[in-house]
Amino acid sequence: MACGALKFGLRQNLSSLLASKHQSSVNKSRLSPPLRSWHASVLKTDYRKVVDPKYNKGTAFTHKERQILNIIGLYPSCHRTEKEQLFAVYTNFKAHKTNLGRYIYLRALRARQERLYYSFIIDRIEDVMPIIYTPTVGIVCQNFSHIYHTSMGLYVSKYDKGHMTHVLNNWPETDIRAVCVTDGERILGLGDLGANGMGISVGKLDLYTALGRIPPQYLLPVVLDVGTNNQQLLCDPMYIGVREERCKGEEYDELVNEFMQSVVKAFGVQTLIHFEDFATPNAFRFIKKYQSEYCYINDDIQGTASCGLAGFLAAEHITKKPLNEHVIMFAGAGSAALGVGNLLVKELLSRKIKEEDAVKNIYFIDVDGIVTKGRKKFVIPDIKRFAKDLPPEKNLEKLVEDLKPSILLGATGQGGIFTEKILRSMGKNHKHPAILACSNPTNKAECTAEQAYNFTEGRALYASGSPFPPVVINGKRLTPSQANNAFSFPGVALGVLCTKPHTITDDVFLVTAHAIAEYAREFAPNENALYPPVKEAANVAFHVGVAVAKYVISCGAATIYPIPKDITKHVKDYQYYTDLGTALPSVWPYPELARLPLPDRDEEMECAD
Ligand SMILES: NC(=O)C1=CN([C@@H]2O[C@H](COP(=O)(O)OP(=O)(O)OC[C@H]3O[C@@H](n4cnc5c(N)ncnc54)[C@H](OP(=O)(O)O)[C@@H]3O)[C@@H](O)[C@H]2O)C=CC1
Ligand SMILES: CC(=O)C(=O)O
Ligand SMILES: [Mg+2]
């Protein structure tokens, strides 16, 4: 539209608005005292709405907007563009000396100005992801009770048994479409952190918005507080959670069951329920119990599975050796490793490889050593398919030397167990050994990027759960990849929310793995990288979202109507944009502002009078 026409329309609207405002101020002077105080209370209410973080634009309110909203004087006289606000936020963010300080600063920003917060984390994802997500979120969860200042999410506790629906309905947003819940029992590789696990639910959902661009008002972070067995927390006078030992057995299962049913009652059957950081035996039990009844994912098992498999597909592409010819060793046999192992088998079966051939070259090692057929007990029954007819052996260095894996994935929560000897052995046996040190946070990584590159003369295809900086080897700068389910769950959620299937099958995660690997090959090709760089993560999420949406629609599981012809556009239209000029929230409380034609970005609104 021609600029002049826009301004003309704007002037027209503003003139009529101002005329009616003038009229209202004339009328106001004639109001009787009780009505006058009513009028004043309306103005006060307006101000409260203005500072509602969802709508608050802070210094970005233009002079005209301040006039209309009666907020002149409540902000300093400067008007900042969004760019200037982002610059101010970045300056303040950087000024904090610790990552925990940066986290607290960002939470305060989120509590003041939601859209500016999301704008910032989207804009600066490489700087911010290590703060709102691993590794800093680990420190955040450890200190959560001490830095607690505002709710951030919903706490559903064992004392809410019998009325959880009511508690869920207490959340001020009504259109909730995805819930991320943890019971805090296995937070990253840090163990039982009880109600402090809220930091994880919040961090995951922040990535739904930062990467998947899913509108934040649809998202609800939850802690299911069933107590904790962490003695330090139980003794901490500042602990915010239920100060009792964890419920277990039937009592625990009933709480989880009531929670699931309550989510559906409160928000509907298509609400995506994302389980995060549950202890492994529970994680596997619940996936079996809920996957075919609810719109349910377990991120540690399924999200990690698709991310891990994507890394393997990239290794296959880089080494030009088919996956079934690789020897793949998993250090760790919990949610993460076993999830990847199972999805890997699914991939091989889809290539018409028989189950016995598929599992032949896949080895699992846990705290008791290599998983063999001679084991008396399998904590997670799924592991049996990988058990080998071999003598027991606990020494990881020896196992690597003997079995010569070309892909080694660690998800043990044990920092440093990929020793120099292991890494040298990998480098000796393979030109490009793939080494994925998936454990979080940073100090739990099985080896650092520097170690992996140093001990393989820079030939390793290295990725880690938490980020490591680039390493220079023989004058060559090597940038490690991040092997984190952050490459999968935001896109899965996006595709699912756009199509509303009742349940989510494992095939969705196979589709996701291929979408991530495809993105890495086609849009971010790098001969040494298993994953695209983090700065591409939002594009990866979109690519995954479209692939998942297409898949859900193609298998007839979508419940939206009509089925969109252009699925890519449909997914894009669902996304959240933070631009202060153009992205008014759907429930924008100022109809008078919504009616104004929008100025060009960064252009001050012209004064009509
Ligand atoms: N990068 C990513 O996207 C993700 C990373 N993770 C990380 O992976 C780690 C594990 O998570 P999860 O699988 O849920 O946890 P679990 O506790 O379920 O699994 C840990 C596994 O490691 C085994 N283990 C422990 N010590 C050793 C050792 N010295 N040698 C070999 N195996 C060992 C355990 O054996 P046993 O059972 O016998 O004790 C268990 O099988 C965590 O640090 C987590 O942060 C998790 C999800 C996603
Ligand atoms: C990344 C993740 O989900 C974890 O470490 O548990
Ligand atoms: Mg997790």
Side-chain angles (χ1 to χ4, degrees):
M1 186 199 290
C3 200
L6 176 80
K7 284 185 180 153
F8 176 73
L10 177 61
R11 225 174 261 135
Q12 287 275 332
N13 273 309
L14 284 174
S15 311
S16 53
L17 256 170
L18 288 175
S20 69
K21 279 190 78 63
H22 174 70
Q23 191 62 40
S24 85
S25 69
V26 171
N27 291 342
K28 194 168 110 185
S29 64
R30 296 196 196 120
L31 294 177
S32 58
L35 279 181
R36 203 175 297 144
S37 72
W38 174 83
H39 202 281
S41 83
V42 169
L43 293 184
K44 287 279 176 226
T45 312
D46 271 353
Y47 178 60
R48 272 186 221 115
K49 271 197 211 160
V50 169
V51 291
D52 179 333
K54 202 185 294 158
Y55 312 112
N56 189 2
K57 290 166 68 170
T59 51
F61 278 119
T62 61
H63 185 69
K64 185 52 61 188
E65 287 172 327
R66 294 178 202 197
Q67 278 183 321
I68 294 170
L69 295 169
N70 296 308
I71 55 171
I72 288 182
L74 301 179
Y75 292 97
S77 60
C78 81
H79 165 243
R80 281 178 176 160
T81 62
E82 186 187 353
K83 245 188 233 157
E84 287 163 346
Q85 283 191 316
L86 288 173
F87 175 75
V89 171
Y90 187 59
T91 308
N92 286 322
F93 172 79
K94 278 288 191 202
H96 283 272
K97 297 229 167 356
T98 64
N99 286 337
L100 188 59
R102 288 180 179 153
Y103 182 89
I104 294 169
Y105 168 72
L106 288 181
R107 290 326 313 170
L109 175 64
R110 168 74 174 74
R112 278 195 316 273
Q113 274 175 262
E114 185 181 286
R115 281 184 298 155
L116 182 59
Y117 169 76
Y118 284 112
S119 215
F120 180 67
I121 67 176
I122 288 169
D123 200 44
R124 293 274 177 181
I125 192 67
E126 281 175 294
D127 293 309
V128 174
M129 201 159 118
I131 307 297
I132 59 171
Y133 194 59
T134 186
T136 304
V137 78
I139 304 171
V140 167
C141 288
Q142 287 172 315
N143 293 283
F144 199 81
S145 294
H146 291 248
I147 63 170
Y148 174 85
H149 67 111
T150 178
S151 273
M152 297 194 220
L154 198 69
Y155 297 82
V156 181
S157 90
K158 59 183 275 192
Y159 299 119
D160 300 317
K161 191 165 192 302
H163 54 265
M164 283 190 197
T165 311
H166 183 94
V167 175
L168 288 164
N169 277 325
N170 284 344
W171 187 250
E173 296 289 344
T174 47
D175 189 7
I176 292 298
R177 303 187 187 182
V179 170
C180 177
V181 59
T182 183
D183 73 350
E185 192 167 2
R186 194 287 278 143
I187 296 297
L188 306 176
L190 302 169
D192 183 352
L193 295 181
N196 282 1
M198 177 58 89
I200 282 293
S201 297
V202 168
K204 290 280 172 180
L205 291 182
D206 266 354
L207 295 192
Y208 272 44
T209 300
L211 304 182
R213 304 271 166 92
I214 296 171
Q217 68 269 24
Y218 297 155
L219 309 174
L220 174 59
V222 176
V223 155
L224 186 60
D225 187 354
V226 297
T228 176
N229 295 339
N230 181 328
Q231 290 308 313
Q232 212 180 327
L233 294 181
L234 289 172
C235 297
D236 181 350
M238 301 268 283
Y239 180 54
I240 55 168
V242 169
R243 208 179 286 272
E244 286 176 32
E245 290 211 338
R246 274 184 181 276
C247 304
K248 48 184 190 233
E250 221 173 291
E251 188 192 3
Y252 172 74
D253 282 9
E254 278 173 13
L255 286 169
V256 176
N257 223 19
E258 183 182 335
F259 177 76
M260 298 298 287
Q261 290 169 0
S262 302
V263 169
V264 168
K265 276 189 210 145
F267 308 126
V269 72
Q270 283 138 337
T271 315
L272 169 61
I273 307 178
H274 165 154
F275 268 37
E276 190 67 42
D277 289 3
F278 281 68
T280 286
N282 292 331
F284 277 99
R285 265 179 340 101
F286 292 142
I287 208 173
K288 289 211 160 60
K289 190 165 169 187
Y290 296 129
Q291 189 180 20
S292 57
E293 273 184 42
Y294 291 89
C295 186
Y296 173 89
I297 63 168
N298 181 297
D299 179 42
D300 297 293
I301 299 174
Q302 298 167 300
T304 314
S306 48
C307 172
L309 179 60
F312 294 180
L313 293 171
E316 176 179 50
H317 177 71
I318 296 167
T319 60
K320 301 188 175 46
K321 181 159 134 182
L323 259 189
N324 55 314
E325 290 176 23
H326 278 270
V327 174
I328 301 179
M329 183 179 282
F330 291 92
S335 303
L338 200 47
V340 183
N342 283 335
L343 197 66
L344 169 62
V345 173
K346 197 170 176 54
E347 166 69 16
L348 297 177
L349 295 180
S350 77
R351 298 180 185 190
K352 309 278 176 262
I353 293 168
K354 286 198 215 116
E355 162 105 17
E356 72 237 46
D357 294 329
V359 297
K360 196 173 64 190
N361 290 331
I362 304 176
Y363 297 90
F364 272 84
I365 325 292
D366 66 13
V367 84
D368 298 318
I370 186 160
V371 175
T372 62
K373 289 201 169 142
R375 283 235 176 146
K376 294 225 166 44
K377 198 170 147 226
F378 296 94
V379 183
I380 313 297
D382 292 42
I383 194 85
K384 262 193 210 159
R385 73 196 307 195
F386 298 106
K388 297 286 178 299
D389 226 344
L390 287 172
E393 176 57 65
K394 270 189 154 182
N395 185 327
L396 190 59
E397 290 179 344
K398 181 163 176 3
L399 286 164
V400 170
E401 190 49 48
D402 291 351
L403 297 169
K404 304 190 174 22
S406 47
I407 298 180
L408 176 64
L409 182 148
T412 57
Q414 304 298 314
I417 66 164
F418 293 171
T419 58
E420 177 175 347
K421 195 164 172 201
I422 289 175
L423 298 170
R424 285 200 188 281
S425 185
M426 299 280 299
K428 182 182 75 188
N429 295 325
H430 302 282
K431 184 174 172 208
H432 286 303
I435 299 167
L436 295 90
C438 294
S439 291
N440 296 314
T442 313
N443 65 351
K444 305 288 178 188
E446 285 74 9
C447 66
T448 64
E450 196 166 9
Q451 290 162 341
Y453 291 134
N454 266 334
F455 300 136
T456 61
E457 296 94 33
R459 288 178 287 111
L461 307 173
Y462 175 82
S464 53
S466 300
F468 279 103
V471 177
V472 177
I473 304 270
N474 300 331
K476 196 170 168 197
R477 187 181 153 95
L478 301 168
T479 305
S481 293
Q482 196 167 346
N484 195 294
N485 50 31
F487 278 118
S488 39
F489 68 80
V492 171
L494 176 63
V496 163
L497 294 186
C498 284
T499 52
K500 303 189 176 192
H502 282 301
T503 60
I504 304 169
T505 61
D506 286 341
D507 286 332
V508 164
F509 295 92
L510 209 51
V511 167
T512 299
H514 280 276
I516 300 169
E518 184 183 71
Y519 188 93
R521 268 193 322 270
E522 292 185 10
F523 301 106
N526 174 343
E527 59 174 20
N528 275 320
L530 294 177
Y531 296 94
V534 164
K535 69 175 177 343
E536 296 280 330
N539 293 334
V540 176
F542 182 69
H543 198 69
V544 169
V546 172
V548 167
K550 284 183 178 166
Y551 175 76
V552 172
I553 290 171
S554 73
C555 54
T559 65
I560 49 168
Y561 185 82
I563 295 293
K565 287 202 177 69
D566 184 345
I567 299 172
T568 306
K569 179 175 180 308
H570 173 69
V571 176
K572 194 149 202 68
D573 288 348
Y574 193 89
Q575 291 189 305
Y576 170 79
Y577 288 89
T578 55
D579 187 304
L580 293 175
T582 57
L584 299 180
S586 51
V587 281
W588 182 247
Y590 315 118
E592 63 270 45
L593 288 192
R595 277 203 309 273
L596 292 177
L598 295 162
D600 290 343
R601 212 183 140 129
D602 292 346
E603 185 194 324
E604 250 294 20
M605 264 197 205
E606 202 182 63
C607 241
D609 50 343

